[in-house]
Amino acid sequence: MVLGRRRLLIGFAGAGGLALAGCGQEPAPPKPATIRFDPPPGTLDVDPRSHGTVTVTDGTLRSVEWIDETGRSLPGAPAPDHRTWTSAEPLGYGHTYTAKAVAHGEAGDVTATTTCTTVRPRQLIDVSLRSANLVELAENDTYGVGFVLVARFDEPVDRAAVERHLKVTTQPAVTGAWYWLDDQNAHWRPEHYHAPGTRITIEAELFGRALGEGRYGLRDQRVSVMIGPAHVAIADDDTKQIEVFDNGNLVRTMPTSMGKGGTTVVGGRYLSFWTRPGIYTVLDRNNPVIMDSATYGLPTNAGGYRTSIDHAVRISHDGIFVHALAASMWAQGNTNVSHGCLNLSPADAAWFYDFVIPGDVVEVRNTGGEPLDIWQNGDWSIPWSEWLRGGTPA
């Protein structure tokens, strides 16, 4: 009897096992791969700075073609897991793209296509990054402590739009500001002269940026320059001496003769013979240079000149130089006889010529005439409170 009952229990267990096996679920169907494009299909006026991307869910990429309107393939590469693809360059201006991607998933291969168009500017604007001497900056150039950054745009721009994409950083850090002469010219400087050894990096990230009235930036730029020793020359009309300082130490005192003063009108043009008071910086040097007063409106038959001058250091855009003039040595240190330049002896002029670099400071004090204007190279003559207004009238 015991054995029979046991067999009966085993029989029920076997029957139950068969019943459970019969209730199992069918396997889920294979998932198809899905493909997503960015920019999304049909997008217009795509940001030129953006990159094309393809992303696959539930699968991996087999191939991607991203072709512009000329038939050129946009270069790009998949990620190591082959689930994404990214173009190697931005989409750029004025393109119509057609993209095709093939992905493989559990259900086999799937194919997807897309089209998009990028912004087509009315005009492309470029900017020239210069120092005050209007020469393009080059990587690791060295300038004096009076260095001023000049951004010159080839067409008028929206000032606020541009400033968002002009970045100036300094090491050590210092606060600076932009001052706009007009809608094409912006200057940047800090409140005080730069510290010797400062590195200044300028980044103009303008490519793909709207600059107003359908204009966009042509390209991005980045350049770094260095600040050299603190060379400051102080020309004082009360003493008629120029004191030259190197990192705060007086290294030379030079007698000078400055502008004789007075004004005149020649051919309807107003001319001043003062050496205007203010803070100049060295723009460039020439040895020799031909000085021709006719270039600023004073012909030789009206008391002007045209002559070759040695060791000439230009400090203004309207023709003020620190230069050699042996003929005025009798006046240097006691009488002003020039048309506006600062005359030196040949020996002093040669020394000064060799000592200075662009961006070094020349402060002119106690002379007559109107104060130095910014267009003449008078950036540092503008009070900081006024500079912070950015060139916008009060």
Side-chain angles (χ1 to χ4, degrees):
M1 273 307 280
V2 174
L3 182 60
R5 183 173 180 272
R6 186 177 180 189
R7 285 177 178 171
L8 182 61
L9 290 173
I10 292 173
F12 277 119
L18 289 173
L20 289 174
C23 294
Q25 296 179 350
E26 295 184 4
K31 288 184 178 180
T34 58
I35 299 172
R36 187 180 77 250
F37 294 98
D38 191 18
T43 305
L44 305 177
D45 295 330
V46 172
D47 181 352
R49 297 179 71 92
S50 64
H51 290 249
T53 62
V54 182
T55 304
V56 175
T57 304
D58 297 322
T60 56
L61 282 167
R62 287 194 179 275
S63 65
V64 173
E65 293 179 341
W66 203 295
I67 312 295
D68 71 12
E69 70 285 352
T70 69
R72 174 182 178 267
S73 294
L74 190 68
D81 62 3
H82 286 262
R83 295 184 182 275
T84 59
W85 178 96
T86 305
S87 66
E89 61 189 47
L91 296 177
Y93 290 117
H95 291 298
T96 298
Y97 288 104
T98 300
K100 175 182 177 182
V102 179
H104 180 74
E106 293 177 356
D109 289 350
V110 295
T111 301
T113 60
T114 187
T115 61
C116 67
T117 61
T118 60
V119 166
R120 187 177 299 275
R122 180 174 69 82
Q123 188 176 26
L124 291 176
I125 303 296
D126 199 11
V127 62
S128 173
L129 301 177
R130 310 170 176 178
S131 68
N133 62 8
L134 306 185
V135 174
E136 291 269 355
L137 302 180
E139 188 70 15
N140 293 323
D141 275 351
T142 298
Y143 290 92
V145 295
F147 168 78
V148 174
L149 168 63
V150 174
R152 163 70 179 176
F153 295 88
D154 52 17
E155 294 288 342
V157 295
D158 181 302
R159 301 181 186 187
V162 164
E163 280 198 40
R164 287 194 291 269
H165 307 297
L166 293 177
K167 182 180 180 182
V168 183
T169 55
T170 65
Q171 297 175 318
V174 66
T175 299
W178 289 98
Y179 186 96
W180 290 82
L181 281 68
D182 53 41
D183 287 344
Q184 288 183 247
N185 296 278
H187 293 192
W188 183 96
R189 70 165 175 89
E191 181 177 4
H192 305 291
Y193 300 146
H194 302 280
T198 298
R199 176 172 286 277
I200 303 171
T201 301
I202 305 97
E203 296 173 274
E205 297 182 345
L206 299 182
F207 174 74
R209 307 301 191 187
L211 304 182
E213 299 182 355
R215 298 183 174 98
Y216 282 76
L218 175 66
R219 57 177 174 151
D220 291 342
Q221 297 183 65
R222 183 184 188 278
V223 63
S224 293
V225 298
M226 294 295 298
I227 300 300
H231 293 168
V232 177
I234 299 175
D236 191 336
D237 197 26
D238 286 348
T239 63
K240 293 179 175 53
Q241 305 285 326
I242 301 177
E243 294 184 327
V244 184
F245 295 84
D246 183 1
N247 289 324
N249 300 309
L250 180 63
V251 293
R252 197 174 184 96
T253 301
M254 307 180 296
T256 187
S257 178
M258 292 188 268
K260 61 186 177 181
T263 62
T264 189
V265 177
V266 178
R269 186 170 182 177
Y270 174 85
L271 302 176
S272 170
F273 301 123
W274 295 101
T275 304
R276 291 193 178 201
I279 301 174
Y280 300 71
T281 59
V282 171
L283 297 175
D284 57 35
R285 305 175 304 157
N286 293 277
N287 183 37
V289 66
I290 300 298
M291 290 192 179
D292 186 352
S293 63
T295 60
Y296 64 85
L298 185 65
T300 54
N301 61 8
Y305 52 86
R306 190 178 192 279
T307 185
S308 177
I309 296 295
D310 292 335
H311 296 112
V313 176
R314 185 164 63 99
I315 61 172
S316 85
H317 293 297
D318 58 341
I320 302 300
F321 288 78
V322 180
H323 66 79
L325 191 63
S328 72
M329 285 181 65
W330 66 270
Q332 293 167 21
N334 60 81
T335 306
N336 290 330
V337 298
S338 85
H339 289 79
C341 290
L342 295 88
N343 296 171
L344 298 175
S345 71
D348 283 340
W351 178 87
F352 191 68
Y353 181 94
D354 291 336
F355 179 75
V356 297
I357 62 172
D360 284 348
V361 174
V362 179
E363 298 184 14
V364 175
R365 300 177 178 177
N366 300 315
T367 59
E370 295 295 323
L372 184 66
D373 205 338
I374 188 170
W375 67 267
Q376 297 168 302
N377 188 31
D379 296 82
W380 292 99
S381 295
I382 296 177
W384 184 243
S385 59
E386 181 179 339
W387 188 274
L388 288 175
R389 291 203 298 269
T392 302

